[in-house]
Amino acid sequence: MANELDALISVLEKMKNSGIPTVPISPENLDFLEHYSPSRTESAPVSHCPPRDVPPKNSEENGGSQTKNYSPTEIPTIAFHGPQKKIFSSKQEHWEDLRRRVLENETLKKHVRPGKNLVFGVGNLDAKIFFCGEAPGADEEIQGLPFVGRAGQLLTKIIAAMGLTREDVYIGNIMNWRPEMDTDTGNRPPTQEEMQHCLPHLIEQVQIVKPEAIVALGATAVSGLLGYDRGRKMSSVRGNWHEFCGIPLMITFHPSYLLRNGTNRMKRVVWEDMMKVMERVGMAISERQRKYFLE
Ligand code: URA
């Protein structure tokens, strides 16, 4: 058992050093680890990514041990804070803690212009669908909220066409700050390094929400989530299922691309991607919805 635990600890430490801040852990596993490694406070069994919701074992299967029965949304998660681990009893508690850690982070704050804000994700912590953009723009850094400018208004319309509201889904960005430019206007895409810096916060949001599908909006978000690949073409990866943290990932065009190329044909392309997402998460699609943007 000691060898297995050492191997586990070494994997955990590597993950932690590579910037993975949290790991989900079931109450049973936590009890087990506490029992076998009482002197260690930093280690926990991990998967890089959120486990699909597995019902907790009942006490009979457990050999009668006393284990709290958690509902899927209550399964505790763990975040590493320096040398300490923190266990949260609800998604809301974990999300608020993460949000505070991001918004009060001095290193992140250094990237924000005077009077502007860092941006953290918003939405339903039990959402089935998690939309992921690249970085805040001018409107977002003023309001401190993702997707509230023109592209955001179009995203809101896409969500409405799916029969949902922004409160039904989760919306986040890889970046927490608007990438700096020499001029006050315009945006630039974040670099891979910038995205790598912020990605752990996005991963932790995914781990909290545990969505059934993630939608990557645009090529930059795809590079941030899946890593840069010179040969990757949006035309061949969009509309197909990929995977991020073990969760199905749909790639589609960014709403700002639609604002520039808003032909019915292009709207239909994005809409077909959204219908795939709806199907994947078990949403009904009406006959009327199936015909949107058909010429
Ligand atoms: N574009 C993004 O990728 N994210 C936003 O929040 C706004 C625009």
Side-chain angles (χ1 to χ4, degrees):
M1 178 53 68
N3 285 348
E4 281 93 337
L5 280 177
D6 282 345
L8 178 61
I9 289 160
S10 132
V11 170
L12 283 166
E13 277 169 354
K14 269 194 212 135
M15 291 174 74
K16 188 180 153 199
N17 292 339
S18 70
I20 295 163
T22 69
V23 291
I25 181 168
S26 69
E28 299 94 303
N29 282 340
L30 187 60
D31 285 349
F32 175 84
L33 267 200
E34 297 283 0
H35 178 76
Y36 277 98
S37 55
S39 62
R40 292 196 174 254
T41 55
E42 290 185 62
S43 306
V46 291
S47 78
H48 170 147
C49 304
R52 309 310 299 154
D53 283 336
V54 179
K57 283 183 185 164
N58 65 31
S59 51
E60 263 175 30
E61 285 166 333
N62 244 347
S65 73
Q66 292 291 309
T67 308
K68 182 178 181 321
N69 267 341
Y70 291 89
S71 76
T73 55
E74 280 179 317
I75 290 175
T77 51
I78 293 185
F80 290 107
H81 294 247
Q84 297 222 310
K85 77 180 176 197
K86 223 174 168 182
I87 300 170
F88 303 100
S89 57
S90 69
K91 286 183 169 195
Q92 186 68 30
E93 189 189 340
H94 188 163
W95 182 83
E96 281 168 16
D97 180 89
L98 172 62
R99 183 169 182 274
R100 195 176 50 248
R101 271 184 280 137
V102 168
L103 299 185
E104 293 175 4
N105 183 306
E106 295 304 325
T107 312
L108 300 181
K109 278 199 227 171
K110 287 196 187 122
H111 294 277
V112 179
R113 295 161 185 73
K116 303 296 192 296
N117 298 289
L118 286 167
V119 176
F120 189 72
V122 289
N124 190 329
L125 300 187
D126 290 320
K128 290 183 175 181
I129 306 173
F130 189 123
F131 288 93
C132 178
E134 56 178 75
D139 295 297
E140 287 78 19
E141 72 166 355
I142 291 171
Q143 296 191 42
L145 294 168
F147 281 102
V148 288
R150 281 188 69 219
Q153 285 155 20
L154 181 51
L155 178 63
T156 306
K157 283 190 190 167
I158 294 171
I159 292 167
M162 297 166 86
L164 299 170
T165 67
R166 282 175 72 109
E167 288 69 40
D168 295 318
V169 300
Y170 194 88
I171 303 175
N173 278 312
I174 297 178
M175 294 295 297
N176 299 112
W177 70 81
R178 179 183 177 200
E180 299 98 321
M181 303 243 301
D182 291 340
T183 59
D184 279 347
T185 53
N187 292 314
R188 70 163 169 86
T191 63
Q192 269 320 104
E193 290 71 29
E194 287 172 325
M195 289 195 285
Q196 283 306 308
H197 189 88
C198 292
L199 191 62
H201 311 136
L202 194 273
I203 291 176
E204 201 168 332
Q205 289 169 83
V206 169
Q207 289 175 325
I208 293 168
V209 177
K210 300 191 184 84
E212 290 177 20
I214 302 172
V215 181
L217 299 165
T220 308
V222 176
S223 291
L225 295 175
L226 300 183
Y228 178 68
D229 177 351
R230 212 166 145 221
R232 185 186 292 124
K233 297 264 175 294
M234 263 311 262
S235 53
S236 42
V237 292
R238 70 131 281 279
N240 296 320
W241 287 106
H242 303 259
E243 202 179 276
F244 180 70
C245 280
I247 295 175
L249 174 75
M250 172 54 64
I251 296 178
T252 196
F253 291 112
H254 195 283
S256 59
Y257 180 75
L258 275 187
L259 287 173
R260 296 191 301 274
N261 303 277
T263 59
N264 252 21
R265 203 187 70 76
M266 201 37 89
K267 287 180 188 164
R268 176 73 194 180
V269 165
V270 171
W271 181 240
E272 283 177 4
D273 300 344
M274 293 307 100
M275 285 197 288
K276 287 182 188 165
V277 173
M278 290 168 75
E279 265 161 16
R280 185 83 190 214
V281 304
M283 289 173 65
I285 306 176
S286 69
E287 277 316 303
R288 193 161 160 260
Q289 281 174 313
R290 286 193 192 281
K291 292 189 188 133
Y292 283 172
F293 308 114
L294 281 178
E295 245 110 18

